């Protein structure tokens, strides 16, 4: 994984964005809105082109994109692609070149018309450490995702996991 490239001021700004999302968790808002905010903050902080929250649906054993304001409805088997590998392993995955990774599911790019270059995926855990889904970010602007990006994504994914688990229990 590439080493950190952000300066101290940039890292402080990133952490302030994460704190803002944490504060929003305390507000009584619907899950769709909160996850959309997490996706938007992840795009901004991680300086990437796209972020998607995937949630596991037990009944069909599929991962689906939970934020529904996009034109495409993404739904994949829980063992398909990088997102499926992340879900199954419960571990962060950093892929610097998507098309060179045998796990990459090219059918999603074909469906969406989006060209994936690189991927950073983190599992979403419930309070009891059960994997609920995956937060995936695509196409770091200006290069590959680094160690700082991985730390930030793990933090965002922890926020997502808490939000999803809390709303499922309501």
């Amino acid at each position: 994984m590439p080493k950190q490239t952000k300066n101290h001021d940039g890292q402080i700004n990133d952490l302030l964005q994460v704190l803002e999302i944490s504060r929003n968790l305390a507000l009584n808002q619907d899950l769709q809105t909160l996850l959309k905010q997490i996706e938007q903050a992840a795009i901004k902080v991680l300086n990437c082109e796209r972020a998607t929250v995937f949630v596991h649906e037990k009944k069909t054993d599929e991962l689906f994109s939970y934020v529904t304001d996009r034109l495409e409805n993404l739904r994949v088997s829980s063992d398909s692609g990088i997102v499926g590998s992340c879900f199954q392993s419960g571990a962060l995955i950093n892929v610097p070149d998507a098309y060179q990774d045998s796990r990459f599911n090219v059918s999603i790019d074909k469906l969406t018309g989006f060209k994936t270059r690189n991927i950073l995926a983190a599992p979403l855990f419930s309070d009891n450490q059960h994997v609920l889904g995956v937060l995936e970010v695509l196409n770091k602007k200006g290069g590959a995702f680094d160690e700082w990006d991985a730390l930030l994504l793990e933090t965002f994914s922890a926020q997502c996991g808490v939000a999803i688990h809390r709303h499922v229990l309501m």
Side-chain angles (χ1 to χ4, degrees):
M1 188 178 303
K3 293 204 185 267
Q4 293 177 203
T5 57
K6 265 197 181 170
N7 65 28
H8 185 68
D9 289 340
Q11 289 177 338
I12 289 172
N13 190 40
D14 291 346
L15 293 173
L16 289 172
Q17 290 284 325
V18 172
L19 284 173
E20 180 65 25
I21 292 297
S22 296
R23 277 194 297 272
N24 287 338
L25 276 174
L27 301 174
N28 189 12
Q29 58 182 325
D30 69 284
L31 182 60
Q32 216 21 253
T33 300
L34 180 63
L35 295 180
K36 183 175 181 180
Q37 288 174 350
I38 289 170
E39 285 184 359
Q40 290 170 343
I43 289 168
K44 181 178 178 185
V45 171
L46 293 165
N47 193 27
C48 63
E49 294 177 9
R50 184 172 281 193
T52 304
V53 175
F54 288 92
V55 177
H56 183 245
E57 186 175 83
K58 289 180 185 178
K59 191 171 25 176
T60 61
D61 196 26
E62 291 178 315
L63 296 164
F64 66 96
S65 59
Y66 201 82
V67 178
T68 60
D69 64 344
R70 293 196 190 107
L71 294 177
E72 67 268 1
N73 179 13
L74 301 179
R75 189 173 279 277
V76 297
S77 171
S78 70
D79 60 358
S80 175
I82 303 298
V83 70
S85 293
C86 180
F87 176 76
Q88 295 292 326
S89 70
L92 183 115
I93 296 176
N94 187 347
V95 178
D97 187 343
Y99 281 82
Q100 295 302 311
D101 192 302
S102 62
R103 300 169 295 180
F104 180 62
N105 183 355
V106 71
S107 68
I108 300 297
D109 273 9
K110 288 178 181 175
L111 172 70
T112 64
F114 185 81
K115 172 75 169 165
T116 303
R117 292 187 314 276
N118 50 49
I119 303 168
L120 189 60
L124 307 175
F125 291 103
S126 67
D127 290 347
N128 61 3
Q129 295 303 299
H130 175 75
V131 182
L132 300 171
V134 174
L135 175 57
E136 185 177 69
V137 293
L138 306 175
N139 296 356
K140 173 79 173 182
K141 295 175 183 172
F145 292 104
D146 61 24
E147 291 175 9
W148 180 249
D149 296 322
L151 178 64
L152 288 172
L153 189 66
E154 286 179 325
T155 303
F156 276 118
S157 69
Q159 301 301 321
C160 279
V162 167
I164 292 167
H165 191 220
R166 188 181 95 214
H167 279 78
V168 167
L169 294 175
M170 294 177 118

